[in-house]
């Protein structure tokens, strides 16, 4: 039985990756942060009592700020594959918390890589790199495109990209960068633009809310479906040689197009409900990210099937469905516009 270690298992991608690996027969170990409330809602459906012989998913407390803990854990678990998905992953928030973002999204990576070396395990390493690295460089973007980061988040991810490549070259580690363009799902964090829109559409449709405040509607992104992207991560670690790959749909869509499609899908006119708030603008914006995933298709046989506007409809349906189930805490407890969250 193969064994995998996932940092960021409680996040969107971590939850889909855990599902995928369990489905392939892996034993899966995940790193979770100690919190004063439960933070496992995205993986609760995978829970099997660890005392049961069929249990194959185990969680361990730890944090990317704690290198010694990472080394001890890796020595204990001795995984065949390490997926480093944990990060402070919100671009706008990285302008508010640049030092914390550097420590988690940048230095956190060297702590995991050093833990791999210190524990002397034989393993393959996946680094969650990002299309944000391209920043101001115009699309289409592929593995040869120059990086031009435009946020503290992207600058931290730039360090992580290069240190991963350096450990591959310096220590002959099987280490790869997945340069993933935006990928979304019904499990997407609630303050990223797609999920913010689809949640608002569901709440407006249900008469629970009248409007939503948005920032720059002209930005263009290449939104794919997260459940498909974790398959690409796994394929990178099954390749004969380690390399870096772009995963994307190749289709660019503006925030406005996504928003119009989402509102129309629910039979709503977006202009009646969308307002502007500069709180959601960034000091430096990334205008357009559209990936060219042809290397991943040719070498890994990976291709995105769900395109951005299909994704908008899929996510609206999921949020409407979620709202119909009583006791959804997010809608009962958290007024959508009540907290000054980004
Ligand atoms: P996400 O939903 O924000 O999940 C982030 C995960 O990291 C969560 O499990 C979070 O734990 C964990 N985490 C944060 N700080 C930590 C720390 N100090 N120590 C340990 N764990 C910590 O992100 P995602 O969308 O799944 O993305 C996964 C990775 O891919 C991230 O590195 C992201 O930057 C990168 N990426 C994402 C996209 C995308 O479009 N989704 C595209 C390119 C790259 P809690 O649950 O406790 O908060
Ligand atoms: N979050 C948010 N909220 N974004 C808004 C809003 C709003 O109210 N209004 C407009 N936008 C615009 C942002 O300015 C940005 O141009 C675009 O919507 C997408 O924003 P996000 O969904 O927050 O994602 P992101 O592209 O900044 O970053 C995501 O994708 C990266 C890969 O390219 C994150 O998942 C990163 O972790 C990831 O690396």
């Amino acid at each position: 039985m193969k064994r995998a270690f996932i940092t960021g298992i409680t996040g969107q991608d971590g939850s889909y990756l855990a599902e995928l690996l369990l489905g392939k027969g892996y034993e899966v170990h995940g790193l979770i942060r100690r919190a004063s409330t439960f933070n496992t809602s995205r993986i609760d459906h995978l829970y099997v009592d660890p005392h049961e012989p069929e249990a194959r998913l185990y969680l361990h407390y730890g944090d990317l700020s704690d290198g010694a803990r990472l080394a001890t854990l890796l020595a204990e678990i001795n995984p065949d594959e390490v997926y480093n998905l944990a990060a402070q992953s919100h671009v706008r928030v990285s302008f508010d918390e640049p030092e914390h973002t550097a420590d988690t999204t940048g230095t956190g990576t060297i702590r995991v890589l050093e833990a791999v070396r210190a524990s002397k395990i034989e393993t393959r390493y996946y680094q969650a790199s990002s299309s944000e690295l391209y920043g101001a460089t115009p699309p289409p973007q592929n593995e040869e495109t120059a990086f031009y980061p435009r946020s503290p988040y992207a600058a931290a991810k730039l360090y992580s990209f290069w240190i991963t490549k350096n450990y591959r070259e310096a220590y002959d580690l099987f280490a790869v960068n997945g340069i993933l363009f935006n990928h979304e799902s019904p499990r997407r964090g609630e303050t990223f633009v797609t999920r913010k829109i689809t949640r608002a559409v569901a709440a407006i449709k249900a008469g629970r809310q009248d409007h939503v405040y948005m920032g720059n509607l002209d930005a263009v992104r290449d939104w794919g479906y997260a459940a498909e992207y974790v398959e690409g991560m796994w394929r990178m670690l099954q390749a004969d040689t380690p390399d870096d790959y772009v995963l994307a749909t190749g289709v660019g869509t503006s925030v406005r197009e996504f928003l119009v499609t989402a509102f129309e899908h629910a039979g709503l006119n977006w202009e009646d409900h969308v307002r502007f708030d500069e709180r959601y603008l960034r000091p430096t914006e990334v205008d357009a990210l559209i990936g060219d995933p042809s290397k991943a298709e040719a070498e890994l046989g990976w291709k995105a099937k769900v395109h951005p506007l299909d994704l908008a409809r899929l996510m609206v349906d999921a949020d409407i469905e979620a709202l119909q189930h009583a006791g959804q805490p997010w809608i009962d407890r958290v007024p959508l516009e009540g907290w000054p969250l980004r």
Side-chain angles (χ1 to χ4, degrees), residues 89-91 130-132 153 180 182 188 191-193 196 213-216 219 221 255 280 282 285-286 289 342:
S89 71
H90 202 286
V91 173
S130 166
S131 52
E132 273 289 302
Y153 167 83
L180 270 53
N182 300 50
R188 183 59 144 151
T191 61
F192 295 97
V193 77
K196 177 172 171 177
Y213 287 97
M214 303 294 308
N216 173 22
R221 291 291 183 275
V255 174
Y280 302 110
R282 288 131 197 233
E285 175 64 294
V286 170
L289 296 173
R342 282 164 170 147

Side-chain angles (χ1 to χ4, degrees), residues 165-199:
K165 208 170 158 109
N166 178 247
Y167 271 47
R168 178 163 84 217
E169 293 167 0
Y171 304 116
D172 208 18
L173 181 66
F174 193 110
V176 307
N177 284 291
I179 308 170
L180 270 53
F181 283 64
N182 300 50
H183 45 280
E184 320 291 310
S185 73
R187 296 184 202 166
R188 183 59 144 151
E190 289 86 348
T191 61
F192 295 97
V193 77
T194 55
R195 187 78 199 289
K196 177 172 171 177
I197 292 168
T198 61
R199 281 181 83 217

Side-chain angles (χ1 to χ4, degrees), residues 97-131:
E97 295 191 45
E99 189 178 334
H100 169 69
T101 303
D103 191 45
T104 305
T105 308
T107 311
T109 303
I110 195 69
R111 292 194 188 101
V112 182
L113 284 166
E114 273 298 283
V116 168
R117 288 208 322 129
S119 56
K120 300 193 182 342
I121 55 171
E122 272 291 312
T123 195
R124 294 187 168 204
Y125 176 88
Y126 174 88
Q127 173 59 29
S129 284
S130 166
S131 52

